Amino acid sequence: MLTGRSAIGGAFSPPRKSASIQHQSVASSSTDTHFSDLLTWAAGHLKENLSVEVLADRSGMSVRSFTRKFRAAVGLPPAAAIEKMRFEEASGSCPGGNLPLKRVATICGFRDEQTLRRAFHRIAEVSPSEFRQRFS
């Protein structure tokens, strides 16, 4: 098991396969069903623009109110929660996978390969290639 720190401060655990299951690690920290429903929706739309403005609009709130309430309910800023969901999706594609990182980045909604690499370093404290070696 990888012992890096996760985005929510806990130990990183190996990847899970299904996006619908993966979002639960972020959504389960929310007791607010509105945000839980929003995160469920976001898990199915990771390739799309999930900016704070888009999420706030979908929630019917101003950006400022949304950000404040989301952080209070979920325990993470909206951008960090979305990045963690995308990371979990990408980490499920990496072990034993032969997809180029550029393709994994596109599939999981990262802007580019470098953004994917930074997310791996920030969340799992390893590069995607090292992650593949450890979990393949």
Side-chain angles (χ1 to χ4, degrees):
M1 176 186 247
L2 197 59
T3 59
R5 307 237 344 132
S6 75
I8 56 174
F12 173 75
S13 55
R16 290 177 261 167
K17 293 288 183 187
S18 168
S20 62
I21 292 173
Q22 290 173 4
H23 79 277
Q24 291 175 355
S25 62
V26 174
S28 65
S29 62
S30 172
T31 58
D32 187 321
T33 58
H34 177 74
F35 290 121
S36 182
D37 292 346
L38 178 69
L39 290 168
T40 298
W41 172 83
H45 296 86
L46 292 176
K47 289 184 188 179
E48 298 174 23
N49 174 13
L50 296 177
S51 67
V52 176
E53 292 80 11
V54 169
L55 297 173
D57 185 57
R58 182 157 181 90
S59 296
M61 296 181 208
S62 70
V63 171
R64 183 175 177 186
S65 291
F66 172 78
T67 302
R68 187 180 69 252
K69 290 177 182 181
F70 186 93
R71 183 186 280 250
V74 177
L76 291 171
I82 296 301
E83 178 184 57
K84 185 171 188 291
M85 291 169 63
R86 287 177 170 153
F87 163 79
E88 289 171 348
E89 182 71 18
S91 66
S93 300
C94 280
N98 294 323
L99 286 176
L101 288 180
K102 186 174 185 175
R103 180 75 178 123
V104 173
T106 301
I107 290 169
C108 299
F110 287 100
R111 182 176 52 235
D112 54 32
E113 183 180 345
Q114 189 59 35
T115 306
L116 169 70
R117 288 180 189 280
R118 282 193 299 266
F120 267 80
H121 281 284
R122 191 172 19 261
I123 295 169
E125 299 179 353
V126 296
S127 69
S129 59
E130 186 176 350
F131 187 92
R132 281 183 171 170
Q133 289 171 353
R134 288 186 184 186
F135 291 107
S136 59

